[in-house]
Amino acid sequence: MNIPQITSIDNALKIFYSHPELGNKEITILFGRLSSATTAKLKKLAREEMIKREKLSYGMYKVNTSVAYDVWGIDVMDLEARRNKLKALELQ
């Protein structure tokens, strides 16, 4: 599956640090408007990895944020470095 591009570095970091679990609302903010099928596929990928890692979900329709970011290839450390560089260059 092709993972959509994030809407912004700030959105990705804010969601990561403020939501231990992701639902459709957070996924929409993270990636922008997606079809319900794409959202379901993204969540399915995360759930499959959650099972492998024995991570439980508090919400039936939510996925663990850390696991989801790993599976979707969103590197928080890289995003933080990019954001800091943009700020240092006064481009943000």
Side-chain angles (χ1 to χ4, degrees):
M1 168 180 194
N2 291 329
I3 306 300
Q5 185 173 339
I6 61 172
T7 56
S8 76
I9 292 172
D10 287 338
N11 281 345
L13 292 174
K14 183 177 180 180
I15 289 168
F16 183 80
Y17 287 115
S18 62
H19 296 280
E21 293 191 326
L22 305 174
N24 292 353
K25 179 181 175 185
E26 294 79 27
I27 293 169
T28 299
I29 294 168
L30 181 62
F31 293 117
R33 188 163 173 87
L34 302 172
S35 70
S36 58
T38 300
T39 302
K41 287 177 186 176
L42 288 168
K43 287 166 72 174
K44 182 180 179 195
L45 288 173
R47 276 196 196 98
E48 289 171 352
E49 186 64 24
M50 286 171 62
I51 291 167
K52 289 178 188 174
R53 296 185 190 185
E54 298 180 357
K55 288 274 189 182
L56 298 176
S57 178
Y58 299 107
M60 190 162 79
Y61 300 106
K62 297 191 176 212
V63 294
N64 179 278
T65 302
S66 295
V67 173
Y69 272 51
D70 285 348
V71 170
W72 300 337
I74 302 171
D75 183 344
V76 173
M77 300 288 280
D78 179 58
L79 293 178
E80 288 176 344
R82 290 172 184 270
R83 184 171 182 254
N84 291 338
K85 185 66 173 183
L86 286 169
K87 283 188 174 191
L89 295 171
E90 297 180 0
L91 297 174
Q92 187 177 27

